[in-house]
Each structure stands twice: as structure tokens, then as C-alpha cells.
């Protein structure tokens, strides 16, 4: 009896223990329920997994065939490293053929099964842009820019257009799952490398959210809603100091801090999405740990992808809870990365892939992306994958709670697939080859991004014309030092250049060579790789490079990233070989992130431009910048400490603006049958007791864009005249650059309403003279913008040391030596001439006069009498010689007069 009471007490206490919070899943639709009820445990479990495979073979002997027919996987992800793509020029056509074959195989398998249900496969890809290594398909598709290049335009419409091209082309090939975009916020860039670089839209959470929202909208509309978008790397790895696939990083942030920075862009595409098109379909959960997540700085979470408490606490936030309840998928990041295996094998243990997969699923992930996962007890990835699925199927049969959890996730997965295809039939899934001809031709949007993202990092725009007044001239030589790299589409494919050694040289010739204006010619151009430059610095024999650098008028350096120490090599070149740079214009083009150089290094460049992407259109824009055909109009979306470019300061309200102020009036409704041009909105009149609603115009930041949402704005209503002052103040925040407020008119008098948003303190003023007698209109007063006149600092005086005259104006030893030689020469010349035309006695007196006159003049210089030093400082050695000659001439005249006596 006592034991029974104890057990009863335990049960009652357990009832009050909080379980991990999970968003409520809506009741499955009839079609989802019908499919789910017809599935075997193995088929249900298989839907949880996104797998990879090697090659393009889908025959009965292939591993992917077995994974599909026996293990009923939910989807595949195609990777270049797994040789899933054919070499150019057949890459695109073979990719479409492979995808159609996979979907057809799934259809045939279900039809050959007695009661098998056909469920289309997810076929996913991570095609981030910017070519290798962030693109899987290296040729055939339109070469699209990196996310940072899009961010540097500060134009969501361009982000939407890029997403539209990406979505249309991937859907044409048959892809229906997109792992991206990255919504990470690069708040503090890692100057030494190790961060995401150009794989992010920027360093401000608001603008990353704006760009991400537009990009996602483009993916959906471009694909005709045939592409499911899984944003990454949730909940954000922008603050980490290493890449997520390399090592599990730890970031010291609480959940409150995450809500302000890392999570804000994910809010923008989930609960705060402005339209169904701008809402993502899933979140890819990264393997990142947080220290101080709950506020206790000594506590560290497990990687979020394996930590049920931390992940569910984030997903319980209102923005995510509502989105997940409406069918949002949670997908684990690649479980086959080195970061995961090393985390589980910490301390020399073995990596159990089944344990990692189970932990990730129980943490709250609906789908598990296995990648090239390899367990310590398995010979290969295929064996590891099959054992994981078998383990899940066994657990499904043995553990009812686990089975219920599987069914919940499978229902969500099926609902997403039904969103792709109303009816699960093969004709709705496979794609036609007829549209392939349109793939790869949308390069106009890439050029638009390149032109609008190009950024001048150094010097300031107003100084560029001074340091670079003219482009390269036809008689000037140029040397291009380029960060070359190459990649293979598959192991057996030939190498493809990511950025060719002579890419910029050939573009310059194409645009400005003999056939295009004759502004330069080929024999005045030379190209070398950064590897050649390193060999030169290491004193290795490289033909022509040193001689070409010595003879060049322009040296143009280009680099793509910091993975191989390229910034350090360029800095070393500038430091160790100033002899090769003297008198030359040194231009740097960054086709990667812009923040890898320090202040000293940047000061040695004539001009430093950031392009952010190495696609051909960006090389084209670089050439046009060099020849000053284009002006850089972009702005860096991340902070660059070396040039004092701080994103927070840049995005604050521009103090040199007059903030517009308007009555916040509802527009006149236009009904059917009304004229095309509606009547203007009537201007209301106000009286005591009314409420006046007002709004600002778009408040601009220091880059000329609208300030981020949440920027604080203060509205003030003042009573002017005697006894006046501030009556009311209302604090508001901006939305899309605009803030709104309302005031009650409860006191008569001449009222003024103005607005400030520090440091912008000047606005238009709304005036209204409210009286007891009647209604009055509002008058808008626009003040003049009075800018403080800052005196232009004088240019620093460059003092050049003279080899003959000191800074004080006294002759140096070298000047004395020249003076003595000059006097001796004059004595010898006068004596020789005197002997020839007169007598030895006269010649002696002439020479003696010259000697005394010259020495007297030199002593005059040494003593610095009567301000002679200023004249000598200005004239240098030539002034010394002239002064000596004058003294010698006087001495000669004295000697000549003496000889006449």
C-alpha cells in the first residue's frame, strides 16, 4: 500500500513537469491523412530523411535505387562533390534528366507495390550564387551574384529579381527544394577570415531581413510556387568565428540578444512575412552553441540542432510558433559534416551516426539532412544511411511515443509536398525539356547588381578625382595580378576557371582595346597570378614579372577571398617591394568581402574598390571602373573598421536632411466606374477637441536609404508666443522609413508640430492657429537647412630633405665641397686666361681676387646674414653657386683694378 502511494505521488508530480513545447500541428487534410494511413512504418520513417548519393546512375544496382525502393527516403540533395552533375556543356540537360529519372523511379516503385503510396521526392540543392565553391552547378545556369553583392545595392527589388531567376531556372530543371538563402547577420566581420564572407546579405538585421524577404518572394514567384525554400543557418551563425560545416562554434549571446540581431531576419520571413510569397517553407537548423543562452554566462547549450530545450524555446517565440503551426518545416543542417562528427567524438570517442540522427530528430527537427554521413562503425555513407533508417523503423515499431512524433513530422512533410503538387501523379512532377533553352540567359540582372553594388572603399569619393584624375592612357602599361582559382564539376571533368588569370586583361581589351576605341593595346598589358607574385617575393625565378612591374604605370590587384591568405600576400607585397610601386597607381579590386585589410595597407592603394562577386559581369564592371566609364554607387552592407565605416553610424538618420512632415490622411476610395484619376484627398480643418494624425516622409540614413524599422522618432507639439513651450511629446518608431503619431488639440493658440530623429533634428513644421471660434487649416513650413561651415583643413606641407641645404638654410658639407671645387676651378680658369692675354703678375692678382671673393661669399652664406637663408632654402645648390659666382665676379673686378696700377 505504501509503495502504491509512492507510485501515485510520482505519477501526479510527473503530470506537472513541463514537456518541451512544440507548435500545434493542424489536423491533417483528408489527402494527407489518406496517404499517411496507407504508408507502412518503413515508408513513414523514410520520409524524414534527405540523403545524398554518388554519381548519376539510378539503375537497379545503384545505391540510390536501394535507398528509394527499400528505405523509401523522402528526398535527395544533389552535390557537385558527389559527381551528381555532368561536365559542360551537358550539365543542365543531364541534371534535368537525372531528376526526372529519380522521380520516375519513385513513381514506378509505388505502382509496382500492392498498396504502396506514391509520394514525390524532394530534390534539393544549395545554389547560393558567386560560382565555386558556393554553387553546385558551375555552368549552364545564369551566373548569379553573391548575397553580399545583392546587399551592397540596398535595393530589395534587385534581390527579388535575382531570386526570380534562380527560382525559375532551378524549377525548370526539376528541383523543388532550395536550401537557402542565408539569413545570417555579419554584425562584426572576422578580419582574419573564418566567417561566411560574401555568403550573407549584410551586417544589419533589418536590411538582411528586407533582402531575404524579397529574395524568397522571387524564388517562389519565379518557380511558379514549385520550389520550397528552406532558409539557413537558423538561428543565425553570423556571430561565429568559423564556418558551420568546419567546426561547431560557440557564440556568447542570450536569447534576448538573439531576438535583436540573429533572429530578426528569420522573423521577417516567417511570422512577420508581408505576403505568402515572402514566407519561407522551412528553416535549416545550424549546429551552433550558445553560451549564456538563458542568461547564465557559465551555461552552454548543446548545438541547437541537437538541443530540444533551446530549440523549442526559440520556436516558441510568437513569430515562429504561428508560422510552424501553419505547416512550417524544421530541417536539420547537414549531419554529415566534420563539425558534427567531431562534436560527438570529443575526447577520442566514436561517432555514432544513429545517435546523432536520433538526437536531432528528438530536438524538434522534422526532416534530417544526412549528407555524406559516415559513422565510425560503418564502411561508407550508404551503409551509415541505411542503418540509421533501419534504426528509426525499429524504434517506430517499439516506441509508441516515438511513432507519434514521426507521424506528426511526416504529416507536415506530406502537407508541404501537397503544396507543390495538388495531385501526386508523375505528370505533375517531371519537367519538360522544352524550357531548357531559356535557362542561363538572364545575365542582365547580374550586370544590374554588379553596376549598383560596386563600392569605393578608399579614398573618399570626393578625393578619387585627385588621386586618379585620368583613366589609363594609350601609352601607359598595366600589370594585372589576379587571385586565380579553378574547380571541377565532377572528378572526371576538366577544370573550370572561377576567375581566370587574364580575366580582367581580356575584359579591358574587349571594352577598350584596338577594336573598341583603341584606349589600350595588348603589348602594354601583362597578367600574372598571385602565386606568381608569391614566388617573386620568395626570390624564386619567374620570367618577366619583375621587369613588367618595374615598367608598369598601373598595377591592378584582384582577389576573391581570404581562404588561402591572399590579403596577407598582397600586404606583404606592398610592404616588401615598395621599389616596384614607386610612382605607380596601385588599384585593388575585391571580388570577395571588403574588410580583410588594415588601415596601413589600404593607405598604400591609389584606389580600393569592392565588387563582392567574381562572376563575369562583375569583372566587366571592374574594367569600366578602372577606365572611369562607371562611377561606384554601391555601399558596403557590412562594417569596415579599417576605413572607419561603421554600419550603425551609417544607418543612423542623416543630420543633413529636412524630415518631411504630413497629415496622415486616408486616401479617397476609388469605386468601380469612377474616373481613372480620383479626386484629391480633401484637406481637413481642425478645431479644439479634434485629434490630428501626422506622419513623416521617408527618413533617410547616411547612405541615402530609408532608415531601418524601429528607428526612434520624437514628435513634439509646441505652443508659440508668450507663455509657450512644449505641450506634448510622442515617441514613435519607423516602419519602412516612416513614423506616425497623433495629438489631441485641447488648448487654443498658435501650435507648431515638428519631429526629430537623432542626429537629424530639422523637420518641416506643421502650424495651425487653433481658436475657440472655428475650424482652421494646417500650414506646412519648410525651414532652411543650415549647415555648419567646417573650415577646409590645409593640406599638410610635405617637407623634402635637401642633400645640400639644411632645413634651416645652411649649406651642408656636400655644398661646401661643391663650393670649394667651383672656387678652385674659377681660380684655375682665371689664372690660365690671365697668363695668355696679359702677364703672370696680372693673372695672379685676378686669381687672388676671385679666391677672396668666392670665400667671402661662402662665409656670408655660412653666417646667414641679412636673411640670405630663406633665399638659399628656396633656391638650393643652384643658389649657392650663383651667390659664389657673384662674389667671385666682385673679387675679379678688384683684382683687375689692382693689376692696372
Amino acid at each position: 500500500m505504501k509503495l502504491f502511494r509512492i507510485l501515485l505521488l510520482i505519477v501526479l508530480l510527473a503530470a506537472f513537469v513541463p514537456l518541451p513545447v512544440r507548435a500545434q500541428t493542424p489536423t491533417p487534410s483528408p489527402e494527407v491523412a489518406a496517404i499517411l494511413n496507407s504508408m507502412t512504418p518503413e515508408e513513414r520513417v523514410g520520409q524524414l530523411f534527405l540523403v545524398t548519393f554518388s554519381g548519376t546512375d539510378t539503375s537497379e544496382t545503384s545505391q540510390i535505387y536501394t535507398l528509394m525502393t527499400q528505405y523509401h527516403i523522402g528526398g535527395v540533395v544533389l552535390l557537385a562533390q558527389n559527381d551528381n552533375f555532368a561536365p559542360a556543356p551537358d550539365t543542365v540537360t543531364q541534371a534535368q534528366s537525372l531528376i526526372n529519372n529519380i522521380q520516375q523511379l519513385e513513381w514506378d516503385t509505388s505502382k509496382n507495390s500492392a498498396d504502396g503510396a506514391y509520394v514525390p521526392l524532394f530534390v534539393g540543392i544549395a545554389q547560393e550564387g558567386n560560382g565555386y565553391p558556393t554553387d553546385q552547378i558551375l555552368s549552364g545556369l545564369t551566373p548569379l551574384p553573391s548575397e553580399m553583392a545583392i546587399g551592397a545595392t540596398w535595393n530589395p527589388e534587385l534581390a527579388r529579381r535575382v531570386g526570380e531567376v534562380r527560382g525559375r531556372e532551378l524549377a525548370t530543371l526539376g528541383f523543388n527544394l532550395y536550401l537557402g538563402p542565408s539569413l545570417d547577420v555579419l554584425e562584426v566581420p572576422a578580419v582574419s577570415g573564418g566567417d561566411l564572407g560574401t555568403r550573407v546579405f549584410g551586417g544589419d538585421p533589418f536590411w538582411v531581413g528586407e533582402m531575404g524577404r524579397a529574395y524568397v518572394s522571387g524564388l517562389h514567384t519565379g518557380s511558379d510556387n514549385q520550389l520550397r525554400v528552406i532558409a539557413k543557418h537558423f538561428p543565425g551563425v553570423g556571430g561565429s568565428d568559423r564556418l558551420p560545416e568546419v567546426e561547431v562554434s560557440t557564440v556568447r549571446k542570450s536569447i534576448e540578444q538573439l531576438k535583436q540581431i540573429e533572429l530578426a531576419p528569420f522573423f521577417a520571413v516567417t511570422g512577420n512575412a508581408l505576403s505568402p510569397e515572402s514566407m519561407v517553407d522551412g528553416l535549416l537548423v545550424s549546429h551552433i552553441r550558445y553560451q549564456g543562452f538563458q542568461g547564465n554566462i557559465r551555461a552552454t547549450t548543446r548545438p541547437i540542432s541537437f538541443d530540444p530545450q533551446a530549440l523549442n524555446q526559440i520556436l516558441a517565440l510568437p513569430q515562429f510558433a504561428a508560422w510552424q503551426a501553419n505547416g512550417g518545416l524544421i530541417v536539420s543542417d547537414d549531419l554529415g559534416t566534420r563539425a558534427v562528427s567531431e562534436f560527438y567524438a570529443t575526447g577520442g570517442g566514436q561517432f555514432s551516426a544513429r545517435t546523432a540522427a536520433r538526437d536531432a530528430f528528438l530536438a524538434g527537427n522534422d526532416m534530417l539532412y544526412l549528407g555524406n554521413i559516415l559513422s565510425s562503425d560503418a564502411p561508407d555513407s550508404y551503409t551509415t544511411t541505411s542503418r540509421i533508417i533501419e534504426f528509426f523503423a525499429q524504434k517506430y515499431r517499439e516506441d509508441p511515443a516515438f511513432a507519434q512524433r514521426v507521424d506528426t513530422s511526416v504529416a507536415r512533410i506530406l502537407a508541404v509536398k501537397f503544396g507543390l503538387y495538388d495531385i501526386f501523379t508523375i505528370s505533375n512532377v517531371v519537367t519538360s525539356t522544352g524550357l531548357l533553352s531559356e535557362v542561363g540567359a538572364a545575365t542582365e540582372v547580374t550586370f544590374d547588381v554588379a553596376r549598383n553594388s560596386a563600392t569605393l572603399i578608399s579614398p573618399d569619393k570626393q578625393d578619387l578625382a585627385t588621386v586618379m584624375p585620368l583613366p589609363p592612357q594609350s601609352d601607359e602599361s598595366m600589370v594585372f595580378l589576379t587571385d586565380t582559382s579553378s574547380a571541377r564539376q565532377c572528378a572526371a571533368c576538366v577544370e573550370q576557371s572561377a576567375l581566370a588569370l587574364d580575366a580582367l586583361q581580356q575584359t579591358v581589351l574587349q571594352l577598350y582595346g584596338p577594336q573598341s576605341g583603341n584606349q589600350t593595346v595588348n603589348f602594354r598589358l601583362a597578367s600574372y597570378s598571385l602565386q606568381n607574385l608569391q614566388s617573386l617575393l620568395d626570390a624564386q625565378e619567374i620570367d618577366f614579372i619583375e621587369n613588367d612591374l618595374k615598367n608598369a604605370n598601373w598595377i591592378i590587384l584582384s582577389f576573391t577571398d581570404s581562404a588561402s591568405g591572399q590579403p596577407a600576400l598582397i600586404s606583404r607585397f606592398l610592404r616588401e617591394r615598395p621599389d616596384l610601386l614607386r610612382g605607380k597607381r596601385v588599384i585593388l579590386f575585391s571580388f570577395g568581402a571588403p574588410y580583410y585589410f588594415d588601415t596601413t595597407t589600404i593607405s598604400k592603394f591609389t584606389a580600393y574598390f569592392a565588387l563582392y562577386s567574381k562572376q563575369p559581369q562583375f569583372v566587366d564592371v571592374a574594367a569600366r571602373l578602372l577606365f572611369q566609364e562607371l562611377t561606384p554607387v554601391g555601399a558596403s552592407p557590412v562594417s569596415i573598421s579599417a576605413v572607419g565605416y561603421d554600419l550603425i553610424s551609417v544607418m543612423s538618420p542623416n543630420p543633413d536632411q529636412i524630415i518631411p512632415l504630413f497629415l496622415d490622411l486616408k486616401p479617397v476610395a476609388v469605386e468601380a466606374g469612377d474616373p481613372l484619376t480620383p479626386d484629391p484627398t480633401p484637406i481637413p480643418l481642425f478645431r479644439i477637441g479634434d485629434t490630428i494624425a501626422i506622419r513623416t516622409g521617408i527618413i533617410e540614413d547616411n547612405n541615402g536609404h530609408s532608415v531601418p524599422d524601429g528607428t526612434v522618432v520624437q514628435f513634439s507639439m509646441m505652443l508659440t508666443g508668450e507663455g509657450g513651450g512644449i505641450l506634448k511629446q510622442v515617441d514613435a518608431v519607423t516602419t519602412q522609413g516612416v513614423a506616425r503619431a497623433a495629438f489631441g488639440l485641447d488648448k487654443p493658440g498658435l501650435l507648431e508640430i515638428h519631429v526629430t530623429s537623432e542626429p537629424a533634428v530639422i523637420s518641416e513644421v506643421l502650424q495651425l492657429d487653433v481658436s475657440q471660434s472655428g475650424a482652421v487649416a494646417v500650414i506646412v513650413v519648410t525651414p532652411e537647412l543650415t549647415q555648419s561651415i567646417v573650415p577646409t583643413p590645409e593640406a599638410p606641407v610635405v617637407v623634402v630633405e635637401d642633400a645640400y641645404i639644411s632645413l634651416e638654410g645652411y649649406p651642408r658639407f656636400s655644398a661646401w665641397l661643391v663650393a670649394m671645387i667651383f672656387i678652385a676651378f674659377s681660380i684655375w680658369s682665371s689664372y690660365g686666361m690671365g697668363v695668355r692675354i696679359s702677364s703672370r703678375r696680372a693673372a695672379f692678382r685676378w686669381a687672388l681676387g676671385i679666391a677672396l671673393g668666392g670665400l667671402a661669399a661662402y662665409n656670408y652664406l655660412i653666417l646667414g646674414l641679412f636673411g640670405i637663408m630663406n633665399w638659399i632654402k628656396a633656391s638650393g645648390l643652384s643658389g649657392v653657386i650663383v651667390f659664389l659666382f657673384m662674389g667671385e665676379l666682385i673679387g675679379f673686378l678688384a683684382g683687375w683694378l689692382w693689376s692696372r696700377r
Side-chain angles (χ1 to χ4, degrees):
M1 187 68 180
K2 184 177 181 181
L3 179 61
F4 174 77
R5 290 177 179 176
I6 294 174
L7 292 175
L8 180 62
L9 180 61
I10 292 174
V11 171
L12 290 173
L13 289 174
F16 293 95
V17 176
L19 296 175
V21 177
R22 182 170 177 81
Q24 294 182 353
T25 303
T27 302
S29 63
E31 57 267 24
V32 169
I35 292 287
L36 184 61
N37 292 335
S38 68
M39 298 174 81
T40 65
E42 287 74 17
E43 289 173 334
R44 298 184 187 194
V45 164
Q47 285 296 313
L48 303 177
F49 296 97
L50 287 169
V51 307
T52 58
F53 63 98
S54 297
T56 58
D57 181 20
T58 59
S59 66
E60 295 183 4
T61 59
S62 65
Q63 293 176 346
I64 186 60
Y65 181 90
T66 304
L67 288 173
M68 292 173 61
T69 58
Q70 295 185 22
Y71 294 97
H72 312 288
I73 56 174
V76 298
V77 176
L78 301 188
L79 300 172
Q81 71 181 83
N82 286 349
D83 294 340
N84 293 144
F85 301 104
D90 301 321
T91 307
V92 167
T93 56
Q94 291 297 321
Q96 186 192 48
S97 176
L98 173 62
I99 294 170
N100 282 344
N101 288 343
I102 290 174
Q103 298 287 17
Q104 186 68 51
L105 175 59
E106 182 67 23
W107 169 263
D108 294 341
T109 301
S110 66
K111 293 304 148 186
N112 293 332
S113 174
D115 53 356
Y118 169 60
V119 179
L121 291 173
F122 279 135
V123 182
I125 191 171
Q127 188 84 358
E128 297 182 17
N130 197 33
Y132 176 83
T134 51
D135 279 343
Q136 301 302 317
I137 299 177
L138 303 182
S139 60
L141 299 179
T142 297
L144 293 177
S146 68
E147 288 189 17
M148 187 173 286
I150 299 171
T153 69
W154 301 80
N155 187 343
E157 174 59 19
L158 283 174
R160 187 200 61 78
R161 287 175 58 196
V162 173
E164 196 171 65
V165 172
R166 175 70 76 215
R168 181 172 62 251
E169 295 189 343
L170 291 181
T172 299
L173 298 188
F175 289 102
N176 54 21
L177 190 71
Y178 182 71
L179 303 181
S182 166
L183 297 181
D184 302 292
V185 180
L186 199 58
E187 185 182 9
V188 182
V191 177
S192 59
D195 58 20
L196 291 172
T198 59
R199 296 169 64 187
V200 301
F201 286 115
D204 178 79
F206 169 74
W207 276 104
V208 171
E210 289 292 291
M211 292 297 185
R213 184 185 279 157
Y215 192 89
V216 170
S217 179
L219 287 169
H220 281 139
T221 56
S223 66
D224 197 19
N225 207 33
Q226 294 299 293
L227 195 66
R228 290 296 167 256
V229 180
I230 312 297
K232 61 185 181 182
H233 304 86
F234 183 78
V237 298
S240 66
D241 54 2
R242 60 210 69 200
L243 296 175
E245 58 266 26
V246 174
E247 183 181 355
V248 173
S249 60
T250 301
V251 175
R252 182 176 292 187
K253 284 196 174 183
S254 68
I255 189 171
E256 291 302 319
Q257 292 172 308
L258 293 178
K259 286 161 62 177
Q260 298 298 318
I261 305 295
E262 279 83 352
L263 292 175
F266 294 98
F267 290 158
V269 295
T270 52
N272 293 345
L274 300 179
S275 66
E277 292 77 19
S278 63
M279 183 181 295
V280 296
D281 306 285
L283 298 174
L284 194 74
V285 183
S286 181
H287 314 305
I288 187 171
R289 309 177 72 186
Y290 291 103
Q291 188 175 27
F293 182 77
Q294 300 278 12
N296 181 4
I297 198 61
R298 292 175 177 79
T300 303
T301 69
R302 300 185 76 205
I304 288 292
S305 50
F306 304 111
D307 191 323
Q309 183 178 2
L311 179 57
N312 280 286
Q313 187 173 349
I314 294 174
L315 293 177
L317 295 173
Q319 295 87 343
F320 298 131
W323 166 82
Q324 192 180 16
N326 288 325
L329 278 182
I330 307 298
V331 184
S332 79
D333 205 346
D334 188 352
L335 299 179
T337 62
R338 189 180 77 188
V340 173
S341 60
E342 289 185 353
F343 173 77
Y344 272 88
T346 302
Q350 298 293 305
F351 171 54
S352 171
R354 290 182 297 180
T355 301
R358 180 203 62 196
D359 290 350
F361 181 65
L362 294 179
N365 293 287
D366 295 307
M367 293 197 77
L368 305 179
Y369 175 25
L370 297 183
N372 294 331
I373 193 167
L374 180 61
S375 190
S376 299
D377 59 354
D380 53 36
S381 179
Y382 166 73
T383 304
T384 302
T385 299
S386 60
R387 288 178 180 176
I388 291 173
I389 300 176
E390 290 170 355
F391 168 72
F392 270 62
Q394 180 182 356
K395 192 166 180 61
Y396 183 95
R397 295 180 181 278
E398 297 174 350
D399 186 345
F402 184 83
Q404 184 179 9
R405 171 73 177 83
V406 169
D407 289 346
T408 300
S409 290
V410 173
R412 301 166 72 84
I413 295 167
L414 292 175
V416 172
K417 290 185 176 182
F418 268 111
L420 284 167
Y421 315 109
D422 292 337
I423 301 175
F424 285 175
T425 180
I426 190 63
S427 60
N428 286 345
V429 178
V430 296
T431 56
S432 170
T433 60
L435 298 177
L436 285 181
S437 59
E438 301 177 10
V439 171
T443 56
E444 180 183 352
V445 66
T446 307
F447 183 78
D448 286 346
V449 172
R451 184 183 58 193
N452 288 281
S453 65
T455 305
L456 177 65
I457 305 299
S458 177
D460 293 334
K461 289 183 179 180
Q462 60 266 28
D463 297 329
L464 183 61
T466 302
V467 300
M468 195 173 158
L470 294 172
Q473 301 299 294
S474 58
D475 60 345
E476 292 182 322
S477 298
M478 288 179 277
V479 173
F480 300 91
L481 300 173
T482 304
D483 177 15
T484 59
S485 59
S486 58
R488 297 179 187 271
Q489 183 64 79
C490 60
C493 300
V494 298
E495 285 192 344
Q496 300 175 228
S497 294
L499 183 64
L501 180 145
D502 62 345
L504 193 50
Q505 176 180 339
Q506 293 303 319
T507 304
V508 165
L509 282 174
Q510 178 184 351
L511 294 174
Y512 306 104
Q515 307 301 319
S516 305
N518 203 28
Q519 291 179 252
T520 188
V521 289
N522 194 37
F523 74 86
R524 295 191 182 278
L525 310 180
S527 294
Y528 298 94
S529 67
L530 290 188
Q531 290 86 348
N532 296 146
L533 178 62
Q534 181 162 353
S535 298
L536 172 67
L537 297 178
D538 293 341
Q540 298 178 17
E541 191 68 28
I542 300 292
D543 292 339
F544 307 120
I545 182 172
E546 184 165 8
N547 188 57
D548 283 342
L549 286 171
K550 286 181 179 178
N551 295 329
N553 303 100
W554 296 73
I555 297 176
I556 297 96
L557 296 141
S558 302
F559 80 103
T560 58
D561 57 42
S562 64
S564 301
Q566 298 94 319
L569 176 63
I570 293 173
S571 299
R572 179 188 172 195
F573 170 54
L574 300 179
R575 183 176 62 252
E576 295 183 5
R577 295 305 303 267
D579 57 304
L580 298 177
L581 308 174
R582 196 169 294 119
K584 299 174 173 59
R585 289 192 167 91
V586 183
I587 310 298
L588 177 67
F589 289 113
S590 170
F591 294 101
Y595 44 75
Y596 295 123
F597 294 95
D598 58 31
T599 306
T600 301
T601 301
I602 292 177
S603 69
K604 298 176 183 179
F605 299 122
T606 305
Y608 173 15
F609 298 93
L611 281 302
Y612 311 100
S613 185
K614 58 182 179 290
Q615 301 287 27
Q617 292 74 19
F618 289 81
V619 178
D620 183 289
V621 167
R624 296 175 191 271
L625 290 172
L626 179 64
F627 279 81
Q628 300 182 15
E629 180 182 333
L630 290 180
T631 300
V633 297
S636 174
V638 292
S639 296
I640 308 173
S641 59
V643 295
Y645 183 86
D646 177 65
L647 206 56
I648 295 177
S649 300
V650 167
M651 297 181 64
S652 64
N654 183 357
D656 298 328
Q657 68 177 311
I658 298 175
I659 302 175
L661 202 54
F662 306 97
L663 292 175
D664 195 10
L665 305 176
K666 293 182 179 180
V668 175
V670 180
E671 298 181 359
D674 285 352
L676 293 178
T677 304
D679 294 332
T681 302
I683 304 300
L685 301 178
F686 297 93
R687 55 173 54 85
I688 291 290
D690 288 346
T691 297
I692 181 171
I694 53 179
R695 65 174 177 85
T696 68
I698 294 179
I699 302 174
E700 295 183 346
D701 65 14
N702 288 283
N703 272 338
H705 309 116
S706 63
V707 294
D709 284 4
T711 300
V712 176
V713 178
Q714 187 176 74
F715 293 83
S716 299
M717 184 169 69
M718 302 180 62
L719 178 64
T720 63
E722 185 177 353
I726 296 177
L727 297 179
K728 293 179 183 179
Q729 286 185 326
V730 176
D731 287 339
V733 294
T734 57
T735 300
Q736 302 296 309
V738 175
R740 288 177 163 82
F743 291 100
L745 304 178
D746 52 11
K747 190 170 185 178
L750 180 59
L751 303 178
E752 288 188 350
I753 300 174
H754 64 91
V755 66
T756 62
S757 183
E758 294 288 348
V761 295
I762 302 176
S763 75
E764 293 181 339
V765 178
L766 300 185
Q767 286 186 347
L768 63 165
D769 192 358
V770 181
S771 66
Q772 300 285 358
S773 58
V776 295
V778 173
I779 301 173
V780 180
V781 179
T782 303
E784 292 185 3
L785 185 63
T786 56
Q787 295 178 320
S788 58
I789 301 176
V790 180
T792 303
E794 295 184 4
V797 179
V798 180
V799 180
V800 181
E801 291 280 349
D802 193 287
Y804 299 97
I805 307 299
S806 70
L807 295 177
E808 293 78 16
Y810 294 105
R812 299 182 187 273
F813 174 76
S814 55
W816 173 85
L817 184 61
V818 172
M820 294 304 104
I821 293 173
F822 181 75
I823 292 173
F825 175 77
S826 300
I827 293 172
W828 176 79
S829 299
S830 63
Y831 182 79
M833 185 180 298
V835 169
R836 291 183 182 182
I837 65 176
S838 185
S839 63
R840 288 183 179 276
R841 180 182 178 188
F844 174 77
R845 292 183 177 182
W846 293 0
L848 181 61
I850 287 176
L852 293 174
L855 292 173
Y858 187 77
N859 287 328
Y860 191 95
L861 293 176
I862 290 295
L863 296 174
L865 300 175
F866 302 108
I868 192 66
M869 292 184 297
N870 293 330
W871 183 70
I872 293 300
K873 281 198 298 184
S875 55
L877 181 63
S878 60
V880 173
I881 299 300
V882 170
F883 198 76
L884 290 179
F885 178 76
M886 292 171 60
E888 290 175 346
L889 182 60
I890 294 172
F892 171 78
L893 291 175
W896 180 76
L897 291 175
W898 185 24
S899 66
R900 299 282 293 175
R901 296 178 59 182

